[in-house]
Each structure stands twice: as structure tokens, then as C-alpha cells.
Amino acid sequence: MPSKEDLKRQVCESIERRADALIGIGETIRHQPELGFKEFKTAALVAKTFEEIKVPHRTGLACTGVKAELNGAKAGPTLALIGELDALVVSGHPLADPLTGAAHACGHNAQVTAVLGATWGLVDTGAMRHLAGRIVPFAVPAEEYGDIAWRLEQVRAGQLEFLGGKPELIRHGHFDDVDMALLIHTSSRAEDKSAGVAVSNNGCVVKTVRYIGRAAHAGSSPHLGINALYAANLALSAINALRETFQERDTIRVHPVITQGGRQVNVIPGEVHLETYVRGKSVEAIMDANAKVDRALRAGALAMGAQVEITTLPGYMPLSNHPELAKVFRRNAEALVGAERYAVQGHRTGSTDMGDISQIMPAVQGYMSGASGTGHGADFMITDTRFAYVAQAQVLATTAIDLLYGDAEAAREVLRDYKAPMTRAQYLAFQRGINKTEVFDGAA
Ligand SMILES: [Zn+2]
Ligand SMILES: [Zn+2]
């Protein structure tokens, strides 16, 4: 039996031998960006790769998820290696799909590629013979919480309940046989260095807002109209005025967009749509800010005598990276990049549904470099394909070996005194409890 370090070395060498193919996959996905729950081409590529290396897998989970399974020599904990399939709409991105506007401006193409690379390395070397438990390479849909109108149609059609991929997978029980989860996200930020883990991330709720006014001739009889756009504008001003009441420690982020601002210029807008997140560090902080945002939204309707329909949707839970699991990731990331290139980070203000996973099991979302530009920006690019696709795969694989080698002592150590903040049933009940629609009539 090879030592743990020998096994890691063999797997890294094996992934290295697959480098050209991995870079090819990563770049293929980068050039075919697809929106969440519609990642059909990407999911097919993942499934095809699993087929080629004869790894059992299931497809079509929560629309497009692909879940594979590698069994160790004996029983033990199950570790999921997660890669997100989706892109998002970013105006002006040079690789944006001309029809959908989708672009891989968050680097998820590298995540999926790294999961495939890690699987390849583990299979090629027969590494599972020396591990206990199971590894679940898991390509998951729809981390980016957008395209909301389409997703709500799927909810009405009974295809979805939640609007994010991992909440849907949890709802369907696809994480029921998983004990811990690891994901590596590509970063373009210099302060993230070559690799690192944050302590935590913001959670969020998501809101859709509909102002109903009254259409009228914008030239001859504006006095007969109720301008829904002005109601919305007043609400946006009120939200901005409330920012001074948000406290630094809560890291609140509210960033509304107008998704329908009026249909014809010579008509007083009779209906205007907004969407926003309300993000924060804790559930309490999010709900407190959310109540203020609701007040601001009503204020716009009140001023204009319009109606407003405010729907609050479950978003993502705050992410709390598991410290013990993070240590194992760190050990393996540092082995590759060097201790001086490893960043110990605090709290991050983005949100992810890895937060939801972290509520029900030990989870880590690590970061590794390989990209440049601004995350979610038109200039976000994978610039170091070798690092983004190959090195990420190596760190996923070596971290997995570290956890499950022998009798999976390290994984058992992570689980020893662990108590999840929520059971799966509590998590689902909590998220369902967020769902709420309120109609406020400013003319009443
Ligand atoms: Zn993103
Ligand atoms: Zn992302």
C-alpha cells in the first residue's frame, strides 16, 4: 500500500498527464456558457467524461445536475467534490452567448473541470483502493441566482420549488448520502493570493417587486395616470437613504435592478418591475434589513398612490466554512502553491448556496487563482488555464485523499464532534418560511 503522500503524488502526476484534455474541457465550457437549470451541453460533457472513464453516475438531478460515485475499499464517510455548471448574464462580456447573454464571468467552468480532473486522477491510479468511504464528484446546477422570471415560471409549472441549484438538490434528497462537501471557486482577486479560504460569506433573501399604477396618455392626460416608474424610483431613493442605518458588522448589501421600467415612451408607465437581493452576515441582520427594504418599497407606492406587490423568496444561507475541513484544504493547497501564497481570509460579502450546504454538513468553499478581471464583470477571464483547471483538480484530489486515506481518520475527525446548525428538514422548513407575498395599496 502506498503511503498517503505517495498516493497524492501519483494522483497529481496522473492529473498532470491529463492536462491538455482538462484544459480542452475547461475552455470548451468557457465558450458555451449556459444559464442555471439550463446547462444541458455542459452537463452532457460531464456525463460523457464520466462514461469514458466508466464512473457510475446519475444525470438530470434538479434539471441538470450530474452525480457520480467512487467507492473506497471499505465503509466510511462520503465526501462530495462539487463543481457548479452555470454561467450568468453579464453585459458586454466578449464570450457572452449572443442569444442568452450568459458568460462564464464567475469561473464556474473551472470548478466543473477540476471535479472531472480529480475524478480522472483518482480513477486512473486506482487510488480508491486505499481509501475508506466514498467520493461523490458532483456537477451541480444554478448557483447564480438570476433569470428569476423564467425560474418562477418553472415554479408555477411544478418543475422547481427553490430558485437555486443546491437548495433544489437538498430538497430532492441528493445530499442525503453526503457527509461533507468541498468546492474550489476560481478567484481573480490579488488579495486572494493563489489559494485560500474565508471564514464566512453573506447569506441573502431575494425579492421581486411589481409596482402597479395606471397607464395614461403621457402628453395629453398624465394627470389621469399613476406613474409606476416614479413609485419605483422613490422606493429606490428610500432604500439608498436607509443605507446609513446599516451597520458595518452586518455587511448588508442591497442592490436593486429595474427589470421592466415602462413599455412605451408616450404612455405613463402602468407597471414596473424590480428585483433585489438583501444580503447580510447573519439571518437576523438580513431579516432586519429586509423589513426596512419592505418599508421603503411601500413608501414609493404610498407617495404615488400606486400598488406594490412585494414577493420575498428564499435566497441562500450564510456560509460558514468548517474550520477543520478548511485546515485539510489548506494543507493540500499550500503543498501546491507554498505557504506564502496562501491567504487566510475573513468574511466575504457575496453569497452562495454552498452556504445552504454548510448549514447541514461540514463544508468548505476554497478559492484558487487563475483568473483576471472582475468577478461578474465583462473583463473576467481565465488567464492561467493550467492553474485554473489542472492545479484546482490536484488540490481537490489530494484533499480528498487526505480525508479518506486508510480508514478515513481525517474525515472522521472532522465529523467527530460536529453538530449541523440545522437538520435537512429544519433547513427546508426555514427556507419555505421565507416565501411571502404582500400587496400594499398606496391609494387605500
Ligand atoms: Zn458568481
Ligand atoms: Zn461563483
Side-chain angles (χ1 to χ4, degrees), residues 84 106 108 111 143-144 185 376:
E84 294 158 348
C106 206
H108 295 184
Q111 297 179 23
E143 187 276 333
E144 304 288 357
H185 199 294
H376 291 196

Side-chain angles (χ1 to χ4, degrees), residues 130-297:
H130 311 296
L131 307 185
R134 300 187 317 145
I135 294 174
V136 166
F138 206 164
V140 305
E143 187 276 333
E144 304 288 357
Y145 200 129
D147 199 13
I148 290 174
W150 180 83
R151 290 186 196 178
L152 287 173
E153 277 172 37
Q154 309 314 303
V155 171
R156 284 187 285 273
Q159 297 297 313
L160 297 176
E161 178 183 350
F162 298 112
L163 273 57
K166 296 180 197 72
E168 276 292 279
L169 291 168
I170 294 170
R171 172 171 83 90
H172 287 295
H174 297 310
F175 276 97
D176 285 357
D177 62 343
V178 175
D179 298 303
M180 58 184 70
L182 173 65
L183 177 152
I184 300 178
H185 199 294
T186 305
S187 172
S188 60
R189 307 193 320 180
E191 63 268 35
D192 290 341
K193 297 189 180 171
S194 296
V197 175
V199 173
S200 51
N201 273 66
N202 270 357
C204 65
V205 295
V206 179
K207 304 176 81 71
T208 65
V209 184
R210 207 158 64 97
Y211 280 96
I212 311 292
R214 191 191 303 131
H217 195 296
S220 66
S221 52
H223 58 286
L224 297 179
I226 296 175
N227 194 315
L229 180 60
Y230 292 159
N233 273 327
L234 289 165
L236 296 185
S237 295
I239 290 169
N240 285 333
L242 283 166
R243 290 185 197 280
E244 69 178 11
T245 72
F246 299 148
Q247 300 191 65
E248 266 84 50
R249 61 162 192 252
D250 293 331
T251 59
I252 300 295
R253 297 286 186 275
V254 186
H255 38 88
V257 293
I258 297 178
T259 52
Q260 181 187 308
R263 286 284 175 81
Q264 165 127 358
V265 68
N266 57 356
V267 178
I268 296 294
E271 182 165 344
V272 163
H273 298 177
L274 309 183
E275 290 173 6
T276 190
Y277 288 11
V278 181
R279 306 188 202 235
K281 196 170 183 175
S282 66
V283 168
E284 296 70 34
I286 294 167
M287 297 324 282
D288 178 66
N290 184 51
K292 292 178 181 176
V293 168
D294 281 349
R295 225 167 50 207
L297 293 170

